[in-house]
């Protein structure tokens, strides 16, 4: 009886050790994914940002995540930038407008930033200051827009943010005509934050919403010699390519749940299989 009881305690200790080892492996795997540079876009804040902006969607200036773009323009101009956002990320756009000197202005002005996806659909801001008024004596005006998390896939009728290029448009929307054309300075910064598996969905786009991506894909499959050349990322595309939702932290929870279920099954079997042959029963009976 003591031998059987000791064996049962040994099995329980082994199962407990395996359970703790599984939890440790699950935690370390999650930390490794979080620390892996390929799991999230590398910050580009150390690089010098562009010093000009486009005037249309087609000529939008490309920005990397965490990179600040500057531009000198005139009041009334439409300024465009483009940056990439992948599945599971929540983009945030911040803009600062340096207004002309007070002597040149006599009225208040209203400035606005708009964000469009790769299909040029205007995306609503979750929160932020998308439109702001600047007094006649103000030196700067700051704007911000926090978008909804980007989904890997969506219904055709929905207006959900999808992986691809995102365009930022900055302009003045309310200003007297006699004050148009005054020089202004603009700074725009786009950042993306990983949201994890809470916003994951089943399915993925065949191609991200990047202008010209379908033409580029057709060209890559048509000529073997051309496909051998190194591919240059287009404007509004990550340098390390698109993830498009192929990896999420739900994989970790799925694997961890499977390990815990297996350990629970073994532990339950050890409790219900009995203590074996009693010591008082002779062999062969």
């Amino acid at each position: 009886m003591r031998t059987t009881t000791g064996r049962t305690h040994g099995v329980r200790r082994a199962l407990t050790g395996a359970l703790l080892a599984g939890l440790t492996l699950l935690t370390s795997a999650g930390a490794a994914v979080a620390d892996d540079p390929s799991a999230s876009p590398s910050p580009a804040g150390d690089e010098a940002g562009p010093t000009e902006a486009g005037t249309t969607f087609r000529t939008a200036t490309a920005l990397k995540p965490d990179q600040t773009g500057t531009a000198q323009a005139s009041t009334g101009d439409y300024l465009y930038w483009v940056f990439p956002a992948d599945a599971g990320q929540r983009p945030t756009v911040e803009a600062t407008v340096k207004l002309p000197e007070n002597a040149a202005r006599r009225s208040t002005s209203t400035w606005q930033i708009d964000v469009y996806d790769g299909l040029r659909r205007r995306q609503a801001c979750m929160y932020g200051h998308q439109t702001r008024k600047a007094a006649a004596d103000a030196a700067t005006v700051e704007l911000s827009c926090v978008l909804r998390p980007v989904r890997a896939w969506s219904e055709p009728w929905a207006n959900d943010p999808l992986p691809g290029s995102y365009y930022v448009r900055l302009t003045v929307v309310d200003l007297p005509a006699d004050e148009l054309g005054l020089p202004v300075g603009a700074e725009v910064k786009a950042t993306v934050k990983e949201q994890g598996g809470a916003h994951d969905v089943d399915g993925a786009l065949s191609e991200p919403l990047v202008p010209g991506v379908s033409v580029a894909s057709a060209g890559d499959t048509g000529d073997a010699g051309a496909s051998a050349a190194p591919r240059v990322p287009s404007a509004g595309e990550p340098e390390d390519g698109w993830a498009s939702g192929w990896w999420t932290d739900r994989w970790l929870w799925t694997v961890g749940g499977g390990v815990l279920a297996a350990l629970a099954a073994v532990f339950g079997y050890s409790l219900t299989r009995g203590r074996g042959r009693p010591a008082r029963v002779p062999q062969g009976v």
Side-chain angles (χ1 to χ4, degrees):
M1 297 296 289
R2 292 181 180 178
T3 303
T4 304
T5 303
R7 185 179 303 171
T8 302
H9 287 307
V11 172
R12 292 181 179 177
R13 286 196 297 269
L15 291 175
T16 303
L19 177 61
L20 293 177
L23 293 176
T24 303
L25 178 62
L26 178 62
T27 305
S28 60
V33 172
D35 295 338
D36 186 4
S38 61
S40 60
S42 58
D46 295 338
E47 301 180 11
T51 58
E52 60 181 10
T55 55
T56 63
F57 283 101
R58 292 181 178 273
T59 61
T61 299
L63 281 177
K64 298 179 181 180
D66 299 327
Q67 191 178 45
T68 301
T70 60
Q72 299 296 325
S74 302
T75 53
D77 291 344
Y78 286 87
L79 305 179
Y80 288 84
W81 292 267
V82 59
F83 68 94
D86 211 340
Q89 297 177 344
R90 186 182 66 186
T92 299
V93 179
E94 299 174 341
T96 302
V97 181
K98 298 180 181 179
L99 302 173
E101 297 180 357
N102 298 338
R105 293 184 291 125
R106 299 179 301 274
S107 306
T108 60
S109 58
T110 304
W111 294 81
Q112 179 173 307
I113 55 172
D114 297 294
V115 183
Y116 301 83
D117 64 7
L119 297 178
R120 299 184 184 180
R121 303 176 303 178
R122 185 175 179 272
Q123 294 294 324
C125 301
M126 291 180 59
Y127 50 86
H129 301 282
Q130 185 178 7
T131 304
R132 265 191 167 180
K133 288 187 176 182
D137 57 349
T140 61
V141 57
E142 297 181 355
L143 307 168
S144 62
C145 176
V146 180
L147 299 179
R148 295 172 293 170
V150 179
R151 296 165 56 91
W153 178 84
S154 178
E155 295 289 347
W157 47 263
N159 194 35
D160 296 322
L162 296 173
S165 301
Y166 281 79
Y167 296 87
V168 181
R169 184 178 71 181
L170 173 65
T171 189
V172 62
V173 294
D174 184 15
L175 186 69
D178 58 350
E179 295 188 16
L180 294 175
L182 297 177
V184 294
E187 293 183 1
V188 171
K189 182 178 181 180
T191 59
V192 292
K193 181 180 180 181
E194 297 289 345
Q195 295 299 292
H199 300 276
D200 291 336
V201 295
D202 295 331
L205 296 180
S206 58
E207 295 288 350
L209 302 181
V210 178
V213 68
S214 300
V215 178
S217 300
D220 292 342
T221 57
D223 188 0
S227 61
R231 184 175 179 274
V232 179
S234 60
E237 180 179 358
E239 294 182 350
D240 54 354
W242 298 94
S244 296
W246 73 270
W247 167 261
T248 67
D249 57 5
R250 286 190 178 184
W251 285 98
L252 298 178
W253 291 106
T254 302
V255 174
V259 172
L260 295 178
L263 294 176
V266 174
F267 182 71
Y269 172 75
S270 67
L271 293 178
T272 58
R273 68 185 178 91
R275 297 181 178 181
R277 181 188 298 273
R280 64 179 179 273
V281 178
Q283 297 290 337
V285 178

